[in-house]
Amino acid sequence: MSMTFEDSGAVLEARKQYNAKLAQQADKRRAWWFPIAVMALLMVLPALQLVGNYNYLLHMVLFTASYVAMASSWNILGGFTGYISLGHTVFFAIGGYLAGVLLARYGISSLISAPLVGLVAAGFGYLIGLITLRVRGPSFIISSLALLMIVRILFDNWHFIGGANGMALPVTDLGVLWAKVPYYYAMIAIAALTVICAYKIKHSKFGLGLRAISKDEVKAESAGINTRLYKVLAFAFSAFFIAMAGAVWGEYLTYLRPNIFLIILVAANMMLMCILGGKGTIAGPVIGAILLVAFNEFFVAMMGASELNILGTGAIMAAVLLFFPLGVVGTLAKAGKLPRILNWD
């Protein structure tokens, strides 16, 4: 028995109402007040400088926020799309060096130039993605690592930016107590923007296409998804936010060197944070960044800056992933035990 036009319209309307009901139920399981409360707390945290020297605390929050931004950016490609990249530090370096040159040569602060720098990095990401995303799986991982090595050699021998010796940047005129504050707020803003955009991307038609590619790229292409365009755009979006974080981080350090920006450890940290927190989730990279930075800082304080602290951090991570194989957020969500304050998806 064939379905009439009126019947099909009724079915579509019923589906729409059902989806709306599911969305309302999902909203009830979310605690939207929690990230807002955290942001409010972070906004007033620098006021502690009025009663003492809390530079270490501000530095750790700033440092963690930088990794929140980078891990959430990496998650767009590695989590949503399923393409593991070890070359994303290239965009971190592009952001840091381009903003650094604008500051050193023309006096333009990275607090102003960061969005422009991000757009330039996104353009590079788009072009690089057109080349590297022709391959999949281990071949893509190797190509991203090769990209990192090529750019590292280029930067080491590029005398305009100081080569391997790097380049110094102008120091802010602010006093010791307040010198970190502008960069603190800038990095918090970048981290928040990255997480919000990651959420918007995941819940868009574009994000649905990325997740389809992650599940089965051949079937996604058969379903009419322009997989190559989607992958390249994901690469570009990912590069944009990482470059902005690199721009602010470079001026904050006041010194740029290839062995600060172009090292595989930074890319590995982005990946590990997503895996630790929950790859493909919104809260996962945030939780992963907080945990990994906290683990590393704890073991550095206890064991010193030696190989032992790396061993301790690695052991803790292995133990966490043993009990949370899909990451903290992913495993708890699958088991139906995810706290409302971490339900950001």
Side-chain angles (χ1 to χ4, degrees), residues 310-322:
I310 299 175
L311 177 63
T313 302
I316 290 292
M317 284 191 61
V320 171
L321 291 174
L322 184 64

Side-chain angles (χ1 to χ4, degrees), residues 125-199:
Y126 186 87
L127 296 175
I128 292 170
L130 288 175
I131 301 170
T132 59
L133 288 167
R134 292 177 180 271
V135 295
R136 307 173 183 175
S139 298
F140 174 74
I141 299 174
I142 293 171
S143 67
S144 68
L145 186 58
L147 171 67
L148 172 60
M149 297 172 67
I150 292 169
V151 175
R152 173 65 185 268
I153 293 172
L154 173 64
F155 276 48
D156 277 340
N157 295 278
W158 193 359
H159 297 294
F160 178 75
I161 57 174
N165 294 323
M167 60 184 293
L169 300 179
V171 181
T172 179
D173 295 330
L174 295 174
V176 174
L177 284 178
W178 304 105
K180 298 181 186 298
V181 174
Y183 309 105
Y184 170 92
Y185 280 121
M187 199 67 83
I188 292 293
I190 292 172
L193 177 65
T194 307
V195 173
I196 292 170
C197 289
Y199 175 85

Side-chain angles (χ1 to χ4, degrees), residues 56-256:
Y56 172 74
L57 177 61
L58 294 184
H59 170 76
M60 290 310 303
V61 174
L62 188 156
F63 180 61
T64 304
S66 71
Y67 265 119
V68 166
M70 290 192 290
S72 295
S73 299
W74 186 94
N75 195 40
I76 296 172
L77 183 69
F80 299 166
T81 319
Y83 275 72
I84 306 299
S85 170
L86 291 176
H88 264 49
T89 48
V90 168
F91 307 115
F92 190 49
I94 289 174
Y97 271 91
L98 181 54
V101 168
L102 290 175
L103 176 63
R105 309 289 182 184
Y106 305 104
I108 303 174
S109 172
S110 65
L111 305 181
I112 299 172
S113 64
L116 174 62
V117 167
L119 289 175
V120 172
F124 276 106
Y126 186 87
L127 296 175
I128 292 170
L130 288 175
I131 301 170
T132 59
L133 288 167
R134 292 177 180 271
V135 295
R136 307 173 183 175
S139 298
F140 174 74
I141 299 174
I142 293 171
S143 67
S144 68
L145 186 58
L147 171 67
L148 172 60
M149 297 172 67
I150 292 169
V151 175
R152 173 65 185 268
I153 293 172
L154 173 64
F155 276 48
D156 277 340
N157 295 278
W158 193 359
H159 297 294
F160 178 75
I161 57 174
N165 294 323
M167 60 184 293
L169 300 179
V171 181
T172 179
D173 295 330
L174 295 174
V176 174
L177 284 178
W178 304 105
K180 298 181 186 298
V181 174
Y183 309 105
Y184 170 92
Y185 280 121
M187 199 67 83
I188 292 293
I190 292 172
L193 177 65
T194 307
V195 173
I196 292 170
C197 289
Y199 175 85
K200 294 293 186 181
I201 288 173
K202 183 175 182 178
H203 292 273
S204 66
K205 181 181 177 182
F206 173 61
L208 183 62
L210 296 182
R211 284 179 282 157
I213 292 171
S214 177
K215 295 294 182 182
D216 192 318
E217 188 167 343
V218 176
K219 288 183 179 178
E221 195 164 358
S222 301
I225 296 174
N226 189 341
T227 56
R228 188 182 180 194
L229 176 62
Y230 274 47
K231 292 186 297 183
V232 172
L233 288 177
F235 207 96
F237 278 122
S238 187
F240 175 79
F241 298 108
I242 291 177
M244 285 208 301
V248 175
W249 184 250
E251 185 176 343
Y252 172 69
L253 292 181
T254 71
Y255 197 77
L256 307 175

